[in-house]
Amino acid sequence: MLTDFYTLKSSEKTENGSFIANISLNKDHEIFKGHFPGNPVTPGVCMMQIVKELTEEFTGKKLFLKSASNVKFMAIINPFETPDLDLSFIITESETEVKVKNTTAFGETIALKMSVNYTKI
C-alpha cells in the first residue's frame, strides 16, 4: 500500500521470539510534499501501516486492523533529519488473531508506541 514510502534495510527474529526491523524512509515520496510543505512530517497513519505491513511479512499472514490501544506518537519523524527507523515487535498469534506491541525509534528517541490487534484474513 505504501509503494516506495520506505525500504526495509534489515529484519531479524530475536532469541526471545520478538522481531526487530530497520527501515529507511523515502524523503522524496509524494506524501511529504503535502504533509507538510517545507516541514515534512511522517503521518501517523503511515507509521501504523508500516507496522501492519512488516507484521504481515513476519507472520506470513494477510491482516486487517481490528483494534488499536495505547497508540502514542511521542516524537515527530522528519524524513530529512531522521529517515532511519528501528522497529521492535512482540507478536502473539492465535487461530484468528495477531496481537502486536510495537516500539518505533530513531537513535535513542522513541517516536511511536502502540498495541494493535489484527484479524487474519
Side-chain angles (χ1 to χ4, degrees), residues 2-19:
L2 292 176
T3 306
D4 298 325
F5 187 72
Y6 68 97
T7 301
L8 178 61
K9 293 170 64 176
S10 66
S11 65
E12 67 179 274
K13 187 173 185 176
T14 66
E15 290 178 11
N16 67 1
S18 63
F19 292 86

Side-chain angles (χ1 to χ4, degrees), residues 25 27 32 38-42 75-85 106:
L25 298 173
K27 63 181 176 45
F32 296 119
N39 188 24
V41 174
T42 305
I76 291 172
I77 302 171
N78 179 320
F80 287 87
E81 295 173 3
T82 54
D84 297 322
L85 304 174
F106 52 88

Side-chain angles (χ1 to χ4, degrees), residues 13-106:
K13 187 173 185 176
T14 66
E15 290 178 11
N16 67 1
S18 63
F19 292 86
I20 297 171
N22 179 269
I23 66 168
S24 185
L25 298 173
N26 175 4
K27 63 181 176 45
D28 297 319
H29 195 277
E30 288 294 316
I31 286 174
F32 296 119
K33 292 177 183 167
H35 198 267
F36 296 96
N39 188 24
V41 174
T42 305
V45 69
C46 292
M47 290 308 306
M48 293 180 74
Q49 181 66 24
I50 290 169
V51 170
K52 177 183 174 278
E53 289 178 7
L54 292 175
T55 301
E56 288 178 329
E57 185 164 324
F58 296 147
T59 62
K61 308 281 191 297
K62 292 302 263 177
L63 304 171
F64 182 81
L65 180 63
K66 179 179 178 182
S67 64
S69 61
N70 297 323
V71 179
K72 296 178 183 176
F73 297 100
M74 303 169 74
I76 291 172
I77 302 171
N78 179 320
F80 287 87
E81 295 173 3
T82 54
D84 297 322
L85 304 174
D86 298 309
L87 294 88
S88 65
F89 300 78
I90 299 172
I91 299 173
T92 309
E93 283 192 69
S94 70
E95 192 173 310
T96 59
E97 196 171 81
V98 175
K99 294 181 180 186
V100 178
K101 289 186 180 180
N102 167 259
T103 302
T104 300
F106 52 88

